[in-house]
Amino acid sequence: MSPPRILLCGDVLGRLNQLFKRVQSVNKSAGPFDALFCVGQFFPDSAEQLEEFTGYIEGVGGRSQIPLPTYFIGDYGVAAPKVLSTASRNSANLGFKMDGFKICDNLFWLRGSGKFTLHGLSVVYLSGRQSSSGQHFGTYSQDDVDALRALAEEPGVVDLFLTNEWPRGVTNRASASDIPAGFLDTTGSDSSVSELVAEIKPRYHFAGTKGVFYAREPYSNVDAVHVTRFFGLAMVGNKDKQKFIHAISPTPASTMSAAEISMKPPNTTLSPYTLVVDKTALKEDTKRSTTTVSDSQYWRYDVSHKRHKSGSGEGNKLCFKFIYSGSCPRGEKCNFQHDMDAREQYLGGVCLDFLIKGKCERGPDCNFKHNLQNEGESHSRRRRGSENDSGNRSKECWFCLSSPNVESHLIISIGEFYYCALPKGPLVQDHVLVIPIEHAPCTLSLTQQSNSELVKFQNSLKLYYKNRGKEAVLFEWISKRSSHANIQVVPVPSTKAAAVKDICNLAAEKLGFKFVVMKFNNSSDGREWLRMQFDRNYSFFYVELTEGTILSHSVEENENFPAQFGREVLAGLLNMPERADWRKCALSKDEETKMAEEFKKQFEELDPNQ
């Protein structure tokens, strides 16, 4: 497969006729191109340009068509609040979206900050300009910056980084002859962008706002083998005829060999930002010490209004990295709280902004829960009063049958030791959870007697899927902090079942580990082997395939293992990456009830409890 072909453009300023005329010309001579990214100001500077601009946004008379998928981050200028507010209220744009809010056909707004994959390329962006005013459009917030710092900790190389403003200090160590005439580093440059790009270490960084074209020599990154190439792009239709559109065709880093990605051109310089970090001018507006700068990526909000948790660290601040990903590379050395209660609420569908800030700016437009479990009383408060009280734990647990929080309308079969239920936000139709009735953190620690019933459930589900031309894939994620175990059972078309092992191994290789692979004649033998492999001192993940193959991995203390690994891998295999996050697949209670009733009716003949 050939590498994707991408166009990038500087400040558009509403001049869509000029932009897309140029795009069509380039597309005809050197294309076809897969996408266009716009950095700098996208909206017009004056009301006089609105007619041309709205001709594309509203598709007036069908004459103004956008020729290829176009993504922009410059969410400021004339009409920006009106257009973007309308788009935000569109039902298709509700919830957390990092891959673009649809404005009209082929036009997408990248809001705030985020990371997504397009044609295999890893794309990270920071939308808007720096401001402390807190206005809704046109500026980024500290939350947006902290989110990118958390993403920078994730494995893998970022291909493209998009910002509106240039990183301050980018010309340090650069050839003076290449620097644009009259260049002023302090105008249209942002020190926060400098800090972020030094942490994210993208292969390409594109920015606008300065009105000039600048292609800096590649520079090396600290603690990374690859180089970064920075491009500043001029504005569309500029009088000096400076380059405002640039084409690249990069091979995604995820598919490159170590030798390919570590190649350095002969004109590579040292990083320009290792000079910057010691300059007080870099952050005069906040006067942060270097210690504070490095610490800031690990927390997000002051939460003294909601909870105070005893223990090490700053009691009123939560570690954003821990809540977002379930781990923190600093471990016990982190200065901020690793609050598992908050993490569990987040995984249970509670809105992250509501959970940590106590409010959500999206209000009723948000797809996530705006209340904590058990009428808003936090898990941490209940647990402090009853750490060893299993009865109280079962009342607060989402999976315990005695809990008022259990989603009973999703239950499809109940045995003596286990029950089956459909999940919230299923990956595919007939996606099932097998859950122990006992409040236990994993199924591998339960009795041999209960294990026999589990195998019966598994065999019944496997036969149910087989009758429908599908194979069962079972997986369990056992975290050291797990509360109530569940095994996920996902049906995969028989034509794709053979590829599950390969795609799991490929994903593991990208994360830097290898699965232990064993094959057994029956599920009972396989589970007995898993029980011997499992060590309570480590987190553990395993996948069981229909033909008896089991893949397992014991997760080291500081290893960055994604909690949603199983679902994300299967979503990729089934060509539905948009369903990797269960919250994006949420259904109404009526839809869930109907789905459960239909499954029970079809599963009745094979249900071991009938």
Side-chain angles (χ1 to χ4, degrees):
M1 183 181 296
S2 59
R5 302 172 65 80
I6 305 295
L7 290 174
L8 297 111
C9 173
D11 303 68
V12 176
L13 300 173
R15 299 165 184 164
L16 298 184
N17 285 341
Q18 286 179 277
L19 171 62
F20 292 127
K21 181 179 179 181
R22 177 66 176 146
V23 166
Q24 288 177 320
S25 174
V26 173
N27 210 31
K28 184 176 180 180
S29 61
F33 286 89
D34 297 299
L36 166 67
F37 289 109
C38 300
V39 294
Q41 182 175 334
F42 187 77
F43 286 81
D45 253 345
S46 64
E48 286 75 20
Q49 297 167 293
L50 276 179
E51 183 178 354
E52 173 187 333
F53 187 81
T54 55
Y56 287 87
I57 302 300
E58 299 173 1
V60 177
R63 61 180 175 79
S64 302
Q65 301 295 320
I66 298 175
L68 79 169
T70 300
Y71 301 79
F72 70 90
I73 59 172
D75 48 353
Y76 48 92
V78 176
K82 179 182 177 181
V83 171
L84 300 180
S85 294
T86 301
S88 299
R89 292 192 295 269
N90 188 315
S91 60
N93 289 331
L94 298 182
F96 291 135
K97 282 185 173 290
M98 290 192 287
D99 57 352
F101 283 44
K102 184 175 181 180
I103 305 300
C104 62
D105 287 345
N106 268 350
L107 183 62
F108 304 90
W109 167 35
L110 300 176
R111 177 181 181 178
S113 68
K115 177 181 180 180
F116 67 103
T117 301
L118 185 72
H119 299 292
L121 295 172
S122 171
V123 182
V124 170
Y125 60 86
L126 179 67
S127 187
R129 301 168 293 188
Q130 186 179 46
S131 173
S132 58
S133 65
Q135 68 186 71
H136 193 44
F137 297 113
T139 63
Y140 65 80
S141 67
Q142 186 61 42
D143 298 346
D144 297 322
V145 172
D146 289 339
L148 290 191
R149 283 180 165 140
L151 289 171
E153 298 286 346
E154 295 185 353
V157 177
V158 170
D159 292 302
L160 305 182
F161 183 37
L162 313 175
T163 63
N164 289 306
E165 296 179 305
W166 288 31
R168 186 169 298 176
V170 69
T171 57
N172 290 332
R173 294 179 168 139
S175 171
S177 61
D178 292 336
I179 299 174
F183 174 86
L184 290 175
D185 188 46
T186 55
T187 304
S189 297
D190 186 343
S191 55
S192 292
V193 174
S194 305
E195 295 175 15
L196 283 172
V197 74
E199 293 180 42
I200 294 170
K201 303 176 179 64
R203 294 170 61 209
Y204 293 88
H205 179 192
F206 292 89
T209 70
K210 279 188 175 289
V212 295
F213 175 76
Y214 176 49
R216 192 200 186 282
E217 302 106 308
Y219 64 82
S220 58
N221 289 286
V222 178
D223 297 327
V225 298
H226 64 279
V227 300
T228 295
R229 292 170 169 83
F230 171 79
F231 292 87
L233 298 171
M235 63 184 68
V236 173
N238 66 88
K239 295 179 181 179
D240 298 328
K241 296 187 178 181
Q242 293 213 38
K243 187 175 181 180
F244 65 81
I245 200 162
H246 185 75
I248 60 173
S249 182
T251 301
S254 60
T255 66
M256 297 172 70
S257 68
E260 289 172 329
I261 205 163
S262 62
M263 289 182 62
K264 289 183 172 60
N267 62 336
T268 299
T269 74
L270 294 175
S271 170
Y273 309 117
T274 54
L275 282 176
V276 176
V277 293
D278 295 325
K279 295 184 178 181
T280 56
L282 181 64
K283 265 297 179 183
E284 288 180 352
D285 54 336
T286 59
K287 304 293 184 183
R288 293 187 293 176
S289 69
T290 54
T291 300
T292 306
V293 170
S294 63
D295 282 348
S296 66
Q297 64 182 296
Y298 295 101
W299 67 278
R300 198 172 186 186
Y301 306 113
D302 187 316
V303 292
S304 54
H305 66 278
K306 192 173 78 68
R307 65 161 69 87
H308 179 85
K309 184 170 182 176
S310 60
S312 62
E314 300 185 18
N316 291 339
K317 293 176 181 178
L318 297 180
C319 173
F320 171 78
K321 175 63 178 175
F322 181 82
I323 293 180
Y324 181 84
S325 65
S327 64
C328 170
R330 289 195 166 191
E332 295 181 356
K333 296 180 181 179
C334 181
N335 290 330
F336 305 100
Q337 291 292 343
H338 292 175
D339 192 330
M340 192 58 204
D341 299 323
R343 168 75 177 161
E344 288 179 0
Q345 294 278 9
Y346 170 63
L347 293 176
V350 176
C351 168
L352 187 59
D353 282 348
F354 174 84
L355 172 64
I356 310 181
K357 290 175 20 178
K359 63 180 180 179
C360 171
E361 294 174 356
R362 286 177 293 273
D365 290 337
C366 181
N367 278 346
F368 306 109
K369 298 176 184 177
H370 287 167
N371 63 286
L372 301 179
Q373 298 301 305
N374 197 11
E375 301 179 346
E377 182 181 3
S378 73
H379 283 193
S380 57
R381 287 175 182 164
R382 293 196 301 275
R383 288 182 181 178
R384 281 197 294 269
S386 56
E387 191 64 34
N388 299 312
D389 187 341
S390 61
N392 284 344
R393 285 203 307 271
S394 67
K395 288 179 181 177
E396 69 183 33
C397 176
W398 303 331
F399 289 133
C400 283
L401 293 180
S402 60
S403 169
N405 296 318
V406 69
E407 303 274 6
S408 57
H409 65 287
L410 291 171
I411 296 173
I412 55 178
S413 179
I414 301 178
E416 183 179 356
F417 301 101
Y418 282 88
Y419 73 95
C420 276
L422 301 188
K424 303 285 288 183
L427 175 61
V428 293
Q429 185 177 353
D430 293 344
H431 179 178
V432 171
L433 301 180
V434 183
I435 305 165
I437 293 175
E438 179 184 341
H439 185 80
C442 78
T443 65
L444 299 178
S445 62
L446 298 179
T447 65
Q448 189 65 45
Q449 187 179 9
S450 69
N451 192 61
S452 299
E453 183 177 271
L454 172 60
V455 170
K456 288 180 181 178
F457 261 131
Q458 290 179 336
N459 290 339
S460 294
L461 288 168
K462 289 175 183 178
L463 183 56
Y464 174 81
Y465 295 143
K466 190 171 185 178
N467 291 342
R468 286 158 177 76
K470 298 179 180 181
E471 303 289 341
V473 177
L474 302 91
F475 59 89
E476 181 177 7
W477 163 239
I478 306 168
S479 166
K480 288 201 301 179
R481 305 176 185 88
S482 292
S483 172
H484 197 134
N486 66 88
I487 295 176
Q488 303 209 36
V489 191
V490 180
V492 172
S494 299
T495 54
K496 293 192 173 185
V500 175
K501 177 182 174 182
D502 291 337
I503 196 171
C504 283
N505 283 327
L506 179 62
E509 183 180 338
K510 290 182 178 179
L511 290 174
F513 72 89
K514 288 187 177 181
F515 277 113
V516 176
V517 182
M518 293 290 288
K519 190 167 184 178
F520 301 91
N521 293 325
N522 56 69
S523 294
S524 296
D525 291 344
R527 290 198 60 80
E528 187 59 36
W529 177 78
L530 284 170
R531 290 158 73 95
M532 292 188 292
Q533 297 298 306
F534 175 58
D535 184 337
R536 295 172 186 267
N537 295 316
Y538 296 92
S539 297
F540 193 69
F541 177 83
Y542 67 89
V543 186
E544 183 179 347
L545 308 180
T546 303
E547 75 277 11
T549 299
I550 292 179
L551 288 69
S552 70
H553 177 56
S554 186
V555 182
E556 297 293 333
E557 181 67 33
N558 294 321
E559 183 178 342
N560 191 359
F561 186 89
Q564 298 299 318
F565 179 92
R567 179 166 179 140
E568 290 173 0
V569 167
L570 291 181
L573 173 70
L574 298 173
N575 296 319
M576 47 179 67
E578 72 282 357
R579 298 186 69 84
D581 186 341
W582 71 267
R583 289 165 296 185
K584 292 183 179 180
C585 310
L587 304 171
S588 69
K589 187 171 182 177
D590 287 344
E591 290 173 316
E592 291 175 338
T593 301
K594 182 179 179 182
M595 184 172 60
E597 290 301 322
E598 289 177 352
F599 187 96
K600 278 193 286 188
K601 188 183 300 182
Q602 296 172 15
F603 185 61
E604 187 174 10
E605 291 184 4
L606 295 172
D607 186 346
N609 296 304
Q610 289 293 327

